[in-house]
Amino acid sequence: MSGDNHAGAAELVTGAQAVIKSLEALGVEVVFGYPGGAIMPAYDPLIDADLQHVLVRHEQGAVHMAEGYAHATGRVGVCIVTSGPAATNLVTGLADAHMDSIPVLAITGQVARSAIGSDAFQEADVTGITMPITKHNELVQSPERIAGAIKEAYHVAQSGRPGPVLVDIPKDVLNATFAWAWPERVDLPGYRPTVRGHGKMIREALQLIAASERPVIYAGGGLVRAGAGEELFAFATRLGLPVVTTLMARGIFPDTHELAVGMPGMHGHYSGVIALQEADLLVTLGARFDDRVTGDLDSFAPHAKVVHVDVDPAEIGKNRAVDVPIVGDVKVVLGQLLKVLDDKDDTAFAPAIDAWREHVRDLKRDHPLRVDQPDTGVLKPQTAIRAVYETWGDEAVYVAGVGQHQMWSAQVIPYTRGRQWINSGGLGTMGFAVPAAIGAKVGVGRDTPVVAIDGDGCFQMTFQELATAVQHDIPVIFCVVNNGYLGMVRQWQHLFYDDRLSQVALPQDCPDLMKIADAYGIPGFRVMTVDELDTTLAKAREITDQPVLVEFRVDPDEMVFPMVPGGASNDDIIESADEWRARLARAGR
Amino acid sequence: MDRHTLSVLVENKPGVLTRIAGMFARRNYNIHSLAVGPTDDARVSRLTLVVGAEAVQLEQIVKQLNKLVHVLKIVELEADESVVREMQLVKVAAEGAHRSQIIELADVFRAKIVDVDHDSITIEAAGDPSKLEAMVNLLEPYGIREMVRSGTIALARGSKSITDGSKVRMQRVV
Ligand SMILES: Cc1ncc(C[n+]2csc(CCOP(=O)(O)OP(=O)(O)O)c2C)c(N)n1
């Protein structure tokens, strides 16, 4: 039995078998992968393994699927590929997972030990290449080390601040025979993430909150990684604190709640951006003062003191000076904060901030998102995305690519739980949506719809994975918001380069997405106008047992607003295209 | 930018130096000198890093170093509370009358003559970096043929050890 390590005659295995046994012992259910020379030994015992293998069409697909799986489930996503070009095809996904703290285990084949350094066929220095974009990596030097390396990698990937870990295994190590042993413990003396917050700091944080007049919870993706939605809800509602949720945290506090203020940042909701600017205290939970949130750092939230809770001590004080630093797992720390509240009566630390809450509600009411959907029939992308949400509803998981469609999806869909919204935030990886949605669907199972909302540019980067979805019967709903442009780049060229459009047009009908759907043997639906929207989506909704492709031909001129131009202060937020034009006019242009 | 001396215990694993050097390059930090060698525990190596950084950046450097899985412990050694040493070999042109002057000079710095040829002398000196610099300045007029200097190594003064009261002992974690 895998995982057992009884005395007596040790079982002889190959390194390849040890890889599979290790994954089984860790309880891994599914691996996303692609075979090839150096990893081939591991593909043989895979045939008999208690593991599902999803055969991708490009290794980038494998790592994004592993990410999507991890995003959606909180478990480690695993991918396995061969050496050289296959391993380098993982680079984008590893960097993506590193930026967004996604637990991924990547196993790569390597040339035989004796050939390392000789520029052998399909040799690449994969541990060297991936060192700065993984949380950790290891070149396995002996078959006896395989189980330990994989167990440690899995542990490092999912603990502390999660991230990608890569294990590179030479082919001769995979082929060697040795006595199997599963290490009982992980032996990493230099790795011990702090889990519990410092008691004194916990009290200080509560005192700052109690004394504050305009506090805001600045909720980041770390809350999603930690699975701290319930704790966050209890904490925010007991103290009555308004909450902004970053792009990576959408849904971790329900948008439908009256304390929800929306999304901060470059394309955040007006209320989310301005609430932070006006705040006198930021209760920062698993967020990292990313430049897309802060805008110009010096003028970000200028009146605010800062409580900062993060499992990664290096995030604390990195971009913004902090008044109360708390290193710890944000779920555990919220538990500690709630415990102190439990020991007191409910109002002990609740600040008297009725006026502030009302002000924040007014911000929300008076500055809603503006979508001018005309009656002419032309379809606005926001209208399409809103209709997608209304079709697949709150129970679905939404996965976006990168660009305008991503920002609209973050803005217009009311998210109500963590892991309901999956996207590439830190790296902004075009091509993420199709494979990540497939991985997410594998993770959440049949009963939860998974909807990819992609751009026409992004889609063309990774749509080869439609075949993976078909072959493995993974019924994802793929929506493409086709505006015939690299829309986000076009928007910047329009706004900041005098509308001199440079290399951003993509023919709206090439490729013909309906023929793509046809080629992959899946139903395809095209929506040209507002009037067709509901009936077509109703038809697409009927299909639950196979992948579906839905294309929306949308107004190419639509831009994402609100917007804080890159490097500008959040105070200079532009709410709408009209406001932008008015500003230009005032500036005499 | 102030210079700071960091003493870093690391697991003696392949690639650990690359990880540290790579992290410095990637995050645009400044290394002035780096020395690495074994400790009394074969599984542990000790690095001495001299970095140029302001206070906020120094804190980041230490935190980022700590994130490396193979890094066990980091302490900053304050200049006035530690013994700081570098080692230097200098090959100086030494003809005729200059020879005795150079030997005298070496004596003053408690340096050793380790190689003599008919027109050159090689001096080995160890000590405080400023002392080594002073010696080189005085040797310069004679003509320095070549020289090599090690990275800084340092230990805290007094009986305390970097491993005191710490979790550095190689122990199992989970
Ligand atoms: C791999 C990669 N290449 C380039 C970019 C730069 N980029 C950001 S958004 C964007 C346009 C995306 O176009 P599309 O997928 O059509 O989405 P839209 O903005 O039109 O919704 C580009 C090129 C990127 N983020 N990722």
Side-chain angles (χ1 to χ4, degrees):
Chain A
M1 233 172 62
S2 58
D4 279 7
N5 181 20
H6 294 303
E11 183 189 354
L12 286 182
V13 298
T14 65
Q17 286 168 324
V19 170
I20 304 299
K21 284 170 81 72
S22 300
L23 295 175
E24 287 173 339
L26 289 165
V28 173
E29 297 167 343
V30 56
V31 297
F32 304 93
Y34 206 78
I39 198 69
M40 255 162 61
Y43 270 76
D44 185 73
L46 192 65
I47 297 172
D48 309 311
D50 191 14
L51 269 181
Q52 191 193 345
H53 180 277
V54 174
L55 176 64
V56 301
R57 295 299 181 273
H58 186 299
E59 288 88 356
Q60 184 185 359
V63 60
H64 287 327
M65 284 179 208
E67 286 188 273
Y69 176 90
H71 254 285
T73 62
R75 297 196 291 272
V76 177
V78 183
C79 58
I80 179 163
V81 306
T82 193
S83 67
T88 57
N89 274 345
L90 296 184
V91 164
T92 302
L94 292 173
D96 191 89
H98 195 47
M99 279 288 221
D100 287 345
S101 309
I102 311 300
V104 166
L105 167 61
I107 295 176
T108 50
Q110 181 55 276
V111 301
R113 281 171 292 181
S114 57
I116 289 179
S118 71
D119 303 315
F121 178 63
Q122 295 194 327
E123 182 186 1
D125 174 9
V126 171
T127 45
I129 289 168
T130 61
M131 220 170 251
I133 51 164
T134 52
K135 186 173 170 186
H136 191 53
N137 65 20
E138 175 171 346
L139 171 60
V140 173
Q141 305 277 4
S142 70
E144 291 78 14
R145 178 66 196 138
I146 289 175
I150 292 178
K151 184 167 184 171
E152 284 170 18
Y154 196 88
H155 171 67
V156 170
Q158 69 177 351
S159 55
R161 179 179 184 169
V165 182
L166 181 140
V167 179
D168 197 27
I169 314 178
K171 187 169 187 177
D172 63 315
V173 172
L174 291 172
N175 282 328
T177 302
F178 71 107
W180 164 254
W182 180 243
E184 268 163 47
R185 283 179 287 194
V186 170
D187 189 14
L188 293 167
Y191 178 76
R192 44 188 85 220
T194 304
V195 174
R196 282 183 70 76
H198 196 290
K200 179 162 161 278
M201 293 295 150
I202 301 274
R203 292 202 76 82
E204 276 184 26
L206 287 170
Q207 276 152 11
L208 266 192
I209 292 170
S212 68
E213 292 171 4
R214 298 183 308 281
V216 178
I217 292 180
Y218 163 22
L223 287 158
V224 181
R225 299 293 156 263
E230 269 177 41
E231 289 81 356
L232 172 67
F233 190 86
F235 182 70
T237 51
R238 277 180 67 168
L239 294 178
L241 306 181
V243 184
V244 300
T245 47
T246 68
L247 181 69
M248 294 314 294
R250 304 289 294 130
I252 194 69
F253 188 81
D255 281 322
T256 46
H257 195 277
E258 59 174 8
L259 287 171
V261 194
M263 177 168 74
M266 178 174 273
H267 291 298
H269 301 103
Y270 183 89
S271 49
V273 174
I274 297 303
L276 289 184
Q277 287 307 93
E278 295 182 352
D280 73 342
L281 177 65
L282 303 185
V283 182
T284 310
L285 306 174
R288 59 185 180 92
F289 295 91
D290 176 71
D291 54 81
R292 282 299 190 262
V293 166
T294 63
D296 168 49
L297 198 53
D298 292 335
S299 55
F300 171 68
H303 318 292
K305 291 193 167 163
V306 175
V307 173
H308 195 172
V309 182
D310 206 296
V311 73
D312 179 358
E315 286 304 338
I316 293 178
K318 185 178 82 175
N319 293 338
R320 169 82 180 223
V322 169
D323 299 278
V324 180
I326 304 180
V327 178
D329 180 318
V330 69
K331 185 181 173 86
V332 174
V333 171
L334 279 169
Q336 290 175 275
L337 288 160
L338 286 166
K339 178 78 174 46
V340 179
L341 296 184
D342 282 341
D343 295 345
K344 295 265 178 178
D345 70 281
D346 250 18
T347 51
F349 290 102
I353 53 166
D354 285 344
W356 169 241
R357 272 190 296 264
E358 197 170 318
H359 174 68
V360 169
R361 268 199 292 275
D362 290 348
L363 282 178
K364 227 161 73 167
R365 188 195 56 216
D366 299 342
H367 299 267
L369 282 175
R370 284 185 228 160
V371 181
D372 303 315
Q373 173 62 60
D375 305 329
T376 55
V378 57
L379 179 60
K380 290 285 183 186
Q382 301 97 315
T383 309
I385 291 166
R386 183 76 205 184
V388 167
Y389 165 70
E390 269 149 22
T391 304
W392 282 280
D394 183 51
E395 55 165 342
V397 170
Y398 296 90
V399 185
V402 168
Q404 293 181 309
H405 62 282
Q406 172 192 27
M407 292 301 140
W408 287 317
S409 302
Q411 288 178 340
V412 307
I413 296 178
Y415 297 98
T416 56
R417 59 182 191 281
R419 310 195 183 289
Q420 186 187 7
W421 160 247
I422 294 173
N423 82 137
S424 162
L427 199 65
T429 306
M430 285 178 69
F432 177 81
V434 169
I438 294 173
K441 181 67 183 173
V442 171
V444 300
R446 293 246 53 105
D447 295 339
T448 305
V450 173
V451 183
I453 302 175
D454 215 358
D456 47 323
C458 290
F459 184 73
Q460 290 183 71
M461 284 201 176
T462 47
F463 79 74
Q464 78 282 348
E465 302 303 338
L466 290 183
T468 306
V470 170
Q471 181 182 3
H472 291 276
D473 188 19
I474 304 167
V476 171
I477 299 118
F478 298 101
C479 299
V480 180
V481 180
N482 185 353
N483 56 6
Y485 282 95
L486 298 172
M488 186 58 95
V489 181
R490 179 188 158 169
Q491 172 166 347
W492 282 56
Q493 291 178 347
H494 176 75
L495 296 176
F496 309 121
Y497 292 85
D498 284 329
D499 200 27
R500 283 162 55 82
L501 301 190
S502 175
Q503 304 301 318
V504 287
L506 308 172
Q508 223 174 358
D509 44 17
C510 175
D512 182 331
L513 295 182
M514 294 304 98
K515 287 189 180 152
I516 297 270
D518 234 24
Y520 286 92
I522 62 174
F525 299 92
R526 176 179 283 149
V527 181
M528 301 291 290
T529 64
V530 188
D531 318 316
E532 303 165 16
L533 198 53
D534 292 341
T535 46
T536 308
L537 284 174
K539 280 187 228 154
R541 177 81 178 86
E542 294 294 299
I543 297 157
T544 55
D545 54 351
Q546 59 173 322
V548 190
L549 181 62
V550 187
E551 175 192 8
F552 303 96
R553 292 284 178 98
V554 300
D555 181 1
D557 293 333
E558 189 64 16
M559 289 190 279
V560 186
F561 285 102
M563 177 172 193
V564 178
S569 164
N570 282 348
D571 294 329
D572 292 330
I573 183 169
I574 302 155
E575 275 193 83
S576 66
D578 288 344
E579 190 184 325
W580 171 260
R581 280 187 283 273
R583 281 198 196 193
L584 284 186
R586 275 201 304 278
R589 293 176 60 195
Chain B
M1 262 192 297
D2 299 335
R3 292 202 176 185
H4 303 269
T5 305
L6 299 176
S7 206
V8 184
L9 292 185
V10 299
E11 279 191 83
N12 193 3
K13 292 270 170 82
V16 59
L17 205 56
T18 319
R19 280 177 210 283
I20 289 175
M23 191 279 285
F24 270 76
R26 134 111 177 83
R27 297 206 179 258
N28 215 3
Y29 301 147
N30 221 324
I31 305 187
H32 286 293
S33 107
L34 185 156
V36 59
T39 64
D40 49 324
D41 182 336
R43 295 164 301 178
V44 177
S45 298
R46 185 160 176 157
L47 262 76
T48 309
L49 289 164
V50 180
V51 301
E54 310 296 349
V56 176
Q57 198 187 37
L58 180 69
E59 184 184 323
Q60 265 298 306
I61 291 175
V62 170
K63 285 172 164 180
Q64 295 293 349
L65 275 172
N66 255 322
K67 279 170 72 166
L68 299 176
V69 168
H70 290 153
V71 169
L72 299 169
K73 176 147 196 197
I74 305 166
V75 295
E76 183 181 359
L77 296 173
E78 304 289 346
D80 45 355
E81 288 162 27
S82 46
V83 186
V84 181
R85 290 293 178 266
E86 283 175 13
M87 175 149 191
Q88 186 162 43
L89 296 172
V90 197
K91 193 179 290 174
V92 203
E95 273 143 22
H98 288 162
R99 295 181 84 84
S100 57
Q101 295 175 11
I102 291 169
I103 292 167
E104 246 171 65
L105 229 154
D107 249 15
V108 173
F109 283 94
R110 286 202 214 107
K112 273 197 283 185
I113 310 294
V114 288
D115 188 50
V116 183
D117 202 356
H118 44 85
D119 59 353
S120 76
I121 288 180
T122 302
I123 300 171
E124 170 200 307
D128 201 77
S130 59
K131 169 183 142 178
L132 298 184
E133 256 143 51
M135 187 184 78
V136 171
N137 284 342
L138 291 173
L139 287 172
E140 210 130 53
Y142 300 101
I144 292 176
R145 291 267 167 82
E146 60 176 332
M147 63 181 235
V148 60
R149 186 141 151 199
S150 73
T152 304
I153 57 171
L155 282 183
R157 292 184 189 279
S159 61
K160 261 181 48 195
S161 142
I162 187 170
T163 49
D164 280 353
S166 83
K167 332 159 221 168
V168 162
R169 279 168 298 116
M170 304 279 283
Q171 61 184 33
R172 295 184 181 274
V173 191
V174 176

